[in-house]
């Protein structure tokens, strides 16, 4: 059984950046154990994910009967990651996808007559389908729901066919679907196609096919057109929310301007666009909820009785460092064929001399980078351990200072 009041977990998108979420979850598991909380109860009754966060969310929901073990299994994947587990990174695979795709962009008018030259994306994510079978045992989800180890799971994707943003959800009891402007919800069994669709980064990975209401539709990353990332958790009954972001919200302030940077490269433009897709909507939605909470706090009891709105406690944990800068230190870890392809888009250098790191930060499914993200997530959460313990209502204890990042990850 899950803890009450019903806590919701929201995991955002961001490609390889989602490793940060796993570090935060490791810290939550550690604090839960050290506080003496009931380990038989799942701390999250509602789990919601988008893009790579949808994969993490589904893996946690499928292991909801043992939260700590589920976190550890997900951690093992991210700790030992290689890009080849997500997309084809060999020379032939890159040539067949990215090289042809970039060629189509530049001289497509010359080769469009040959129908074979129709690459669908920059990278071929066929290996991800195999990883999902091992990482996310979805047949267990129905068991977890029936046993009420988790109340509901939701993942979102964006339909290229209809233009709608769709939230697919499954729950332990029937929950009325909701419809908003350009957004719909569909209850039913979640499968790996939903996870592939939710994590299909636009232009980078190919769209995924899902049958919806008897019609064949193509879907891409759920972060696109996601104007209200918090909404699914609230509709599924969450009464308080832990939101794990993937950048910007708690990053150091201040403008970053590169001297003599010149005209932006394709990689810079692509990285900026992806950051807009993945990161901005969450910050806006959190601000909106906090304004609603503040407004409700000003209302007298008589006025509160006349509205269905209720305040929702929100705890946001997001990176304390710029993930673009962190990625810049690890760009050299990308597979050689992928580095060669991205060099043509403007991804070059390393550290302070790096260019295009924002784009690279989404594609760096390599252990040195994902381990650094996990260590950052764990450190950020442990630095706020009193808030985390209070959020769940666990008993505070004399907790030791967080270990160094390297020793924390083993």
């Amino acid at each position: 059984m899950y803890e009450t009041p019903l806590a919701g977990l929201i995991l955002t998108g961001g490609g390889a950046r989602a490793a940060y979420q796993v570090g935060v979850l490791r810290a939550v598991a550690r604090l839960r154990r050290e506080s003496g909380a009931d380990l038989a109860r799942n701390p999250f009754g509602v789990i919601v994910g988008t893009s790579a966060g949808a994969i993490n969310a589904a893996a946690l929901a499928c292991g909801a009967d043992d939260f700590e073990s589920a976190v550890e299994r997900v951690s093992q994947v991210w700790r030992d990651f290689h890009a080849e587990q997500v997309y084809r990174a060999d020379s032939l695979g890159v040539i067949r996808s990215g090289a042809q795709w970039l060629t189509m962009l530049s001289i497509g008018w010359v080769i469009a007559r040959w129908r074979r030259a129709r690459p669908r994306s920059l990278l071929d994510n066929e290996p991800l389908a195999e990883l999902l079978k091992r990482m996310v045992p979805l047949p267990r989800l129905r068991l977890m729901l029936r046993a009420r180890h988790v109340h509901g799971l939701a993942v979102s994707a964006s339909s290229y066919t209809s233009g709608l943003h769709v939230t697919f959800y499954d729950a332990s009891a029937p929950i009325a679907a909701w419809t908003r402007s350009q957004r719909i919800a569909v209850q039913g069994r979640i499968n790996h196609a939903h996870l592939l669709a939710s994590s299909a980064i636009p232009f980078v990975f190919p769209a995924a096919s899902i049958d919806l209401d008897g019609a064949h539709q193509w879907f891409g990353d759920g972060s696109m057109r996601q104007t209200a990332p918090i909404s699914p958790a609230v509709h599924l009954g969450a009464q308080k929310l832990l939101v794990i972001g993937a950048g910007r919200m708690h990053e150091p302030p201040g403008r970053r301007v590169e001297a003599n940077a010149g005209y932006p490269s394709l990689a810079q433009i692509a990285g900026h666009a992806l950051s807009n897709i993945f990161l901005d909507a969450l910050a806006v939605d959190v601000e909106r909820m906090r304004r609603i909470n503040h407004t409700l706090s000003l209302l007298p009891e008589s006025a509160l009785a006349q509205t269905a709105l209720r305040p929702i406690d929100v705890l946001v944990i997001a990176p304390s460092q710029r993930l673009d800068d962190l990625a810049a230190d690890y760009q050299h870890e990308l597979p050689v064929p992928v580095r060669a392809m991205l060099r043509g888009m403007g991804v070059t250098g390393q550290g302070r001399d790096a260019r295009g790191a924002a784009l690279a930060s989404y594609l760096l499914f390599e252990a040195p980078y994902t381990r650094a993200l996990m260590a950052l997530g764990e450190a950020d959460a442990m630095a706020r351990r009193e808030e985390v313990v209070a959020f769940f209502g666990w008993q505070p204890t004399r907790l030791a200072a967080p270990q160094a990042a390297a020793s924390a990850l083993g």
Side-chain angles (χ1 to χ4, degrees):
M1 291 289 292
Y2 38 80
E3 294 183 352
T4 55
L6 200 62
L9 173 65
I10 298 179
L11 302 177
T12 60
R17 289 173 173 242
Y20 176 86
Q21 303 167 358
V22 183
V24 174
L25 291 168
R26 284 173 60 91
V28 170
R30 174 183 167 185
L31 293 172
R32 175 171 171 259
R33 183 174 62 253
E34 293 179 346
S35 68
D38 184 357
L39 299 185
R41 290 178 175 269
N42 187 347
F44 300 106
V46 171
I47 306 176
V48 174
T50 304
S51 192
I55 297 173
N56 287 338
L60 291 176
C62 291
D65 54 338
D66 190 340
F67 174 73
E68 194 158 334
S69 294
V71 170
E72 182 56 31
R73 284 194 297 271
V74 174
S75 298
Q76 288 176 358
V77 174
W78 285 96
R79 185 168 49 226
D80 301 321
F81 236 138
H82 295 288
E84 291 85 353
Q85 295 173 267
V86 178
Y87 53 80
R88 288 198 59 181
D90 58 288
S91 297
L92 182 58
V94 170
I95 290 172
R96 284 180 172 176
S97 57
Q100 287 191 21
W101 188 78
L102 291 174
T103 301
M104 286 288 290
L105 285 179
S106 58
I107 56 172
W109 61 275
V110 176
I111 61 175
R113 68 188 67 181
W114 288 284
R115 293 186 177 272
R116 292 181 182 177
R118 285 187 170 182
R120 295 184 171 185
S121 59
L122 188 65
L123 294 168
D124 177 0
N125 67 343
E126 183 178 353
L128 179 58
E130 290 301 316
L131 175 64
L132 290 179
K133 293 177 183 178
R134 302 191 303 271
M135 183 178 176
V136 188
L138 281 173
R140 294 198 85 239
L141 179 58
R142 291 304 308 172
L143 298 175
M144 297 299 98
L145 292 169
R146 282 199 294 268
R148 298 184 70 81
H149 290 298
V150 65
H151 176 65
L153 168 69
V155 301
S156 296
S158 184
S159 174
Y160 292 120
T161 306
S162 68
L164 294 175
H165 183 270
V166 183
T167 295
F168 300 95
Y169 68 99
D170 202 355
S172 58
I175 295 177
W178 58 94
T179 301
R180 298 293 185 269
S181 176
Q182 302 300 312
R183 293 186 285 127
I184 63 171
V186 177
Q187 184 167 10
R189 294 202 174 189
I190 292 173
N191 57 44
H192 289 129
H194 295 111
L195 304 183
L196 284 171
S198 184
S199 59
I201 301 174
F203 302 111
V204 176
F205 296 142
S209 173
I210 297 176
D211 288 332
L212 183 61
D213 295 330
H216 179 77
Q217 294 192 28
W218 291 99
F219 284 83
D221 200 292
S223 296
M224 296 186 291
R225 309 198 71 175
Q226 188 178 43
T227 57
I230 292 176
S231 173
V234 176
H235 282 287
L236 290 180
Q239 297 162 299
K240 56 183 179 180
L241 301 172
L242 173 62
V243 180
I244 306 179
R248 286 192 177 176
M249 298 183 71
H250 294 160
E251 287 180 345
R255 299 175 58 200
R256 285 167 41 84
V257 179
E258 295 178 0
N260 303 317
Y263 191 81
S265 66
L266 180 58
Q268 286 177 286
I269 295 172
H272 187 72
L274 290 178
S275 294
N276 175 266
I277 291 171
F278 285 114
L279 309 180
D280 292 346
L282 177 63
V284 171
D285 208 22
V286 169
E287 289 177 4
R288 181 188 301 122
M289 175 155 286
R290 285 173 172 166
R291 287 197 302 270
I292 293 174
N293 284 345
H294 178 67
T295 300
L296 291 174
S297 71
L298 301 177
L299 296 179
E301 290 295 330
S302 58
L304 282 173
Q306 302 300 315
T307 177
L309 294 175
R310 292 294 180 268
I312 295 179
D313 185 17
V314 181
L315 175 62
V316 180
I317 300 180
S320 59
Q321 300 178 24
R322 297 180 187 275
L323 299 193
D324 295 0
D325 292 348
L326 194 60
D329 293 332
Y330 294 97
Q331 284 188 173
H332 64 287
E333 298 288 348
L334 282 164
V336 173
V338 177
R339 286 211 314 269
M341 178 187 66
L342 294 179
R343 191 179 301 118
M345 299 175 63
V347 178
T348 60
Q350 183 181 343
R352 291 182 176 273
D353 298 324
R355 297 291 183 272
L359 175 59
S361 72
Y362 296 96
L363 305 180
L364 259 168
F365 293 95
E366 293 292 339
Y369 177 60
T370 57
R371 288 188 181 195
L373 287 175
M374 290 169 63
L376 177 63
E378 191 160 2
D380 285 348
M382 292 304 295
R384 301 175 63 188
R385 55 190 180 275
E386 292 181 1
E387 293 176 77
V388 174
V389 169
F391 173 83
F392 287 104
W394 298 332
Q395 293 299 317
T397 58
R398 289 178 175 266
L399 299 174
Q403 300 174 9
S407 61
L409 291 178

